[in-house]
């Protein structure tokens, strides 16, 4: 079998958690491959709303194995909190959750360094979630990091102390005040809890699953425009959020990748700093935020809102090799007379649909087309209004990729499978 990949095509928070939960009945294994607790993936069913940060979004389905892959960075304190909540809901964590030995650990000092670095940047700050993501990946690539597998080694405490000593020097450089002794007890307690989990060589686990015909879905975090290489650098996260990240973050060869399901909102949002060509810094943006309840699942920050950006969407589809699209939050547009879609950018008087290298400095003027709104609530796949079908058809024509799912509400059930419409 081949592993399918599901990932966000915008700036994150597209609704990945919801769709993974909806698709899990079709899969045996769901694997997170990058990012860490900067992610907040929301699921809603039976009147319950649940936000996952580190744990894959297949966890509520008993038949499904959930893997935290080597590419993920783990804060044991946050993971423990997530697990405690799931155990209360009756999830059998020991049986359903598998953690890679190669995943890197977020130390309390990584979080302090994140805060110190952002404070030092002042107005230029990235708008990080302050979960210690950047400093942890820096230690990974700098070959200083601690991994989950290290917690069973006899000199784990020494390894920890030697890394923390390095961090203390950096914090002194930043002139940053902190109280590490207030953070360490909870961290070490969470390390003990981590020891109780099913810790595995995930590259063998996933590849053997594929070999034996199991269906595997890799769940992305963040979004393509936050990718460390292809996002709007430096206003990005510190991992490869794209399809290629699923290969390095799980140990799955490129030839073993099957479908790539790209998730996008019917409009755009971004939380944190950085360029956002179609941003609506006006009443319309406020309306989108209000109807779409656009407040971060991890930090509670208000999300910036804007119209759908096709040049950016096409770019994300290109770098990921997207084979099918899922359009989220169509219901947010239910009452609009007109919906705008950005088809091109005007840069220095010329129309282009190419994302420039210097997005930050380029004076991008979005060029829009007006689409007629559908002005009704969508509750089922039957008799979808012509205006909605036109909106979908336009995006499919522009991108060359079919939209296979349309989401019309946060609940599992508020999902329209479009394959029937295409057949
Ligand atoms: P993720 O990080 O990609 O998993 O997305 P988040 O969970 O951070 O943000 C998506 C938000 O939109 C959550 O609050 C979801 O419950 C909600 N949501 C998902 N799909 C829909 C939808 O189709 N319509 C509406 N109105 N809300 C949705
Ligand atoms: P999910 O998986 C939206 C943003 C932050 C900041 C930048 C860098 O829920 O879609 P970091 O903490 O990684 O150093 O922050 O990236 N960011 C996200 N925005 N959704 C996310 O995850 C995000 N994870 C990070 O707001 O701008
Ligand atoms: Mg989110």
């Amino acid at each position: 079998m081949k592993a399918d990949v599901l990932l966000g095509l915008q700036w994150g928070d597209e609704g990945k958690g919801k769709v993974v939960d909806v698709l899990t009945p079709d899969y045996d294994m769901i694997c997170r491959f990058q990012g860490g607790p900067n992610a907040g993936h929301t699921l809603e069913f039976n009147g319950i709303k649940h936000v996952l940060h580190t744990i894959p979004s297949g966890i509520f389905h008993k038949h499904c194995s959930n893997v935290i892959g080597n590419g993920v960075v783990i804060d044991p304190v946050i993971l423990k909190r997530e697990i405690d909540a799931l155990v209360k809901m009756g999830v059998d964590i020991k049986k359903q959750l598998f953690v890679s030995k190669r995943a890197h650990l977020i130390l309390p000092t990584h979080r302090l360094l994140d805060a110190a670095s952002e404070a030092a940047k002042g107005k230029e700050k990235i708008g990080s979630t302050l979960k210690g993501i950047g400093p942890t990946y820096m230690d990974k690539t700098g070959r200083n990091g601690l991994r989950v597998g290290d917690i069973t080694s006899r000199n784990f405490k020494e390894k920890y102390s030697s890394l923390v000593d390095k961090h203390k020097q950096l914090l002194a450089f930043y002139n940053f005040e902190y109280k590490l002794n207030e953070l360490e007890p909870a961290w070490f307690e969470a390390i003990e809890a981590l020891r109780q989990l099913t810790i595995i060589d995930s590259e063998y686990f996933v590849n053997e699953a594929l070999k034996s015909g199991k269906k595997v879905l890799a769940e992305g975090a963040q979004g393509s425009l936050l990718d460390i290489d292809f996002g709007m650098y430096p206003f990005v996260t510190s991992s490869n959020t794209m399809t290629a990240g699923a290969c390095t973050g799980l140990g799955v060869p490129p030839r073993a990748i099957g479908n790539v399901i790209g998730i996008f909102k019917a409009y755009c949002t971004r939380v944190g700093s950085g360029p956002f060509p179609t941003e609506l810094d006006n009443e319309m943006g406020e309306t989108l935020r209000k109807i779409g309840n656009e407040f971060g699942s991890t930090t509670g920050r208000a999300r910036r809102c804007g119209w759908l950006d096709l040049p950016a969407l096409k770019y994300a589809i290109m770098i990921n090799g997207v084979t099918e699209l899922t359009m989220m939050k169509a219901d947010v547009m239910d009452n609009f007379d007109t919906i705008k879609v950005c088809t091109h950018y005007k840069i220095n008087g010329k129309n282009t649909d190419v994302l420039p290298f210097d997005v930050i400095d380029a004076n991008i003027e979005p060029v829009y087309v007006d689409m007629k709104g559908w002005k009704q609530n969508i509750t089922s796949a039957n008799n979808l209004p012509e205006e909605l079908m036109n909106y979908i058809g336009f995006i499919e024509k522009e991108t060359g990729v079919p939209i296979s799912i349309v989401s019309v509400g946060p609940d599992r059930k508020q999902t329209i499978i479009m394959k029937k419409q295409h057949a």
Side-chain angles (χ1 to χ4, degrees), residues 217-239:
L217 179 67
E219 172 182 358
Q222 289 79 56
S224 301
L225 303 175
L226 290 171
D227 183 272
I228 181 72
D229 281 282
F230 297 102
M232 296 176 174
Y233 194 89
F235 298 99
V236 293
T237 190
S238 298
S239 64

Side-chain angles (χ1 to χ4, degrees), residues 13-17 40-42 297 303 328-329 331 407-410:
D13 299 332
E14 296 88 351
K16 299 173 289 293
H41 294 182
T42 314
S297 319
R303 296 178 183 141
M328 307 302 293
K329 295 195 129 174
D331 55 300
S407 176
V408 292

Side-chain angles (χ1 to χ4, degrees), residues 216-272:
V216 174
L217 179 67
E219 172 182 358
Q222 289 79 56
S224 301
L225 303 175
L226 290 171
D227 183 272
I228 181 72
D229 281 282
F230 297 102
M232 296 176 174
Y233 194 89
F235 298 99
V236 293
T237 190
S238 298
S239 64
N240 279 118
T241 58
M242 58 198 292
T243 304
C247 295
T248 56
L250 293 173
V252 168
R255 272 196 303 186
I257 300 295
N259 288 336
V260 179
I261 305 162
I263 313 283
F264 71 101
K265 277 180 193 166
Y267 49 100
C268 281
T269 63
R270 170 163 208 171
V271 62

Side-chain angles (χ1 to χ4, degrees), residues 299-332:
T299 57
R301 290 178 293 175
R303 296 178 183 141
R304 300 153 65 193
C305 297
W307 296 118
L308 184 64
D309 180 336
L310 282 178
L313 188 65
K314 287 194 237 178
Y315 181 77
I317 288 171
M318 173 183 79
I319 61 170
N320 286 306
V322 172
T323 57
E324 56 185 281
L325 290 165
T326 293
M327 184 168 86
M328 307 302 293
K329 295 195 129 174
D331 55 300
V332 174

Side-chain angles (χ1 to χ4, degrees), residues 33-240:
F33 58 88
Q34 45 68 234
N38 47 351
H41 294 182
T42 314
L43 291 77
E44 275 191 50
F45 56 91
N46 302 340
I48 299 170
K49 177 175 163 173
H50 201 89
V51 183
L52 296 165
H53 300 286
T54 325
I55 294 177
S57 302
I59 199 74
F60 290 105
H61 297 259
K62 283 199 165 57
H63 74 279
C64 178
S65 303
N66 290 265
V67 177
I68 300 176
N70 57 280
V72 176
V73 290
I74 298 176
D75 183 332
V77 177
I78 296 177
L79 179 61
K80 181 174 181 298
R81 209 181 298 145
E82 283 189 76
I83 288 174
D84 290 347
L86 290 171
V87 168
K88 275 196 195 133
M89 294 172 78
V91 175
D92 187 346
I93 285 292
K94 190 85 192 157
K95 230 163 118 189
Q96 272 190 264
L97 183 68
F98 301 84
V99 184
S100 173
K101 281 180 195 166
R102 293 178 188 273
H104 278 246
L105 292 171
I106 301 176
L107 272 53
T109 39
H110 283 131
R111 295 185 65 156
L112 295 170
L113 282 167
D114 212 356
S117 160
E118 284 284 82
K121 283 193 161 101
K123 271 208 322 241
E124 306 294 310
K125 70 175 184 185
I126 309 292
S128 158
T129 60
L130 302 178
K131 301 293 176 199
I133 305 298
T136 307
Y137 279 114
M138 278 164 73
D139 272 337
K140 176 178 179 175
T141 51
R143 295 158 296 180
N144 295 314
L146 280 185
R147 298 182 291 172
V148 168
D150 292 326
I151 66 174
T152 53
S153 97
R154 256 189 288 136
N155 59 352
F156 175 63
K157 275 253 163 82
E158 282 130 62
K159 284 184 180 169
Y160 170 85
S161 300
S162 115
L163 186 52
V164 166
D165 285 344
K166 278 193 195 120
H167 292 166
K168 283 180 178 164
Q169 289 180 31
L170 288 168
L171 288 163
F173 165 80
Y174 280 120
N175 225 344
F176 192 76
E177 283 184 27
Y178 58 94
K179 290 190 181 132
L180 186 55
N181 56 0
E182 287 179 4
L183 304 172
E184 279 182 329
W187 196 80
F188 279 106
E189 194 189 313
I191 289 289
E192 288 311 309
L194 183 55
R195 274 188 225 283
Q196 309 307 315
L197 301 181
T198 313
I199 295 174
I200 56 163
D201 293 301
S202 55
E203 61 278 30
Y204 282 105
F205 192 68
V206 176
N207 279 292
E208 276 158 18
L210 289 171
K211 222 179 194 172
S212 67
K214 295 229 163 85
K215 289 199 73 186
V216 174
L217 179 67
E219 172 182 358
Q222 289 79 56
S224 301
L225 303 175
L226 290 171
D227 183 272
I228 181 72
D229 281 282
F230 297 102
M232 296 176 174
Y233 194 89
F235 298 99
V236 293
T237 190
S238 298
S239 64
N240 279 118

